[in-house]
Amino acid sequence: MITVAVVDDDRMLLDGIRSWLADTPQLRLVAAVATVGELLTGPDGPTSRPPADVVLLDLLLKDGSEPVANICRLRAAGSRVLVISTVAGRERVIAAVAAGADGYLTKDNDLETLVAAVEAVAAGDTAHSPELAFAWAHDTGQTRPRISPKELEVLRAYASGLTLKATARRAGISPHTAKYYLDRVKDKYQQAGRPTYTKTDLAARVREDGIGPTDPDN
């Protein structure tokens, strides 16, 4: 059972989400509120437990709170964050994921897409969407290094948990060449100001940059 909370000030959307999730047995809605502050405080005051496994967060709330700050607060509280927004602007998508959001969907998606995204985020993956793919493909920011297709193939396989030898075998190259590609990727991230030294660091960069899937069977 995955617990879900919704932060959105659109009452019609909140009612719609309640109705949708009522018929989705693998997801349990535990809160539907208008602000992040309301979610984190709760009816009984602040708690040390995450408010939910996954929080569906509207990007632009009427309380004037900053989207990046909201995402950071939710991640600090221990929840994973799936942004649900009417806004699909490239810069907003990139800023949301860079702040720690685990995916980005526009509100015109159907229930099946939403459930799949929540399940992916709860499992520790990035919820991919056309909006997210477009944003990354057209990103001109300085913090996301340019990675070649072969480097990306090796990075995805290795970050998913494969050994160096298994990664090399999957990519059809030698372990020495696979290590060379990984070292190049690490160096590119370090030059972009994002220290990357370990396998855990590489997996984090894959998630942060939305360049999965990291499942070796995909």
Side-chain angles (χ1 to χ4, degrees):
M1 178 70 70
I2 300 170
T3 58
V4 178
V6 185
V7 179
D8 198 305
D9 46 29
D10 183 335
R11 294 183 61 183
M12 291 182 66
L13 181 135
L14 291 180
D15 289 344
I17 290 288
R18 288 191 186 97
S19 177
W20 271 10
L21 297 189
D23 296 323
T24 308
Q26 67 269 42
L27 306 182
R28 180 166 65 90
L29 183 65
V30 296
V33 296
T35 69
V36 170
E38 186 179 351
L39 177 65
L40 296 181
T41 300
D44 301 317
T47 175
S48 59
R49 299 190 304 274
D53 296 326
V54 179
V55 176
L56 308 181
L57 174 67
D58 188 13
L59 198 64
L60 301 178
L61 298 171
K62 293 176 183 176
D63 67 349
S65 55
E66 290 292 329
V68 167
N70 284 336
I71 293 167
C72 290
R73 290 179 68 188
L74 292 169
R75 290 307 305 263
S79 294
R80 302 185 71 84
V81 180
L82 176 60
V83 171
I84 308 292
S85 178
T86 57
V87 182
R90 176 178 57 80
E91 292 183 359
R92 291 189 184 279
V93 177
I94 292 171
V97 176
D102 302 283
Y104 194 110
L105 293 180
T106 51
K107 291 181 178 179
D108 57 355
N109 282 285
D110 58 18
L111 175 60
E112 182 179 356
T113 300
L114 176 63
V115 171
V118 170
E119 290 177 332
V121 167
D125 294 329
T126 299
H128 295 275
S129 66
E131 299 82 23
L132 184 55
F134 178 85
W136 283 132
H138 295 81
D139 180 22
T140 57
Q142 297 299 311
T143 62
R144 184 170 182 261
R146 298 304 178 194
I147 299 174
S148 71
K150 200 64 177 180
E151 289 170 347
L152 181 58
E153 179 185 1
V154 171
L155 170 60
R156 283 172 168 167
Y158 187 67
S160 74
L162 295 181
T163 64
L164 183 63
K165 287 185 178 179
T167 295
R169 185 165 56 250
R170 181 177 178 82
I173 56 179
S174 70
H176 176 78
T177 302
K179 183 178 183 303
Y180 170 74
Y181 282 130
L182 290 171
D183 286 343
R184 280 174 56 91
V185 170
K186 291 177 183 178
D187 184 62
K188 288 181 179 181
Y189 272 111
Q190 285 158 200
Q191 290 184 31
R194 300 167 68 186
T196 302
Y197 302 102
T198 67
K199 189 172 191 174
T200 300
D201 292 337
L202 289 170
R205 302 298 167 262
V206 167
R207 184 191 65 77
E208 292 165 357
D209 288 354
I211 53 176
T214 59
D215 184 345
D217 293 328
N218 285 341

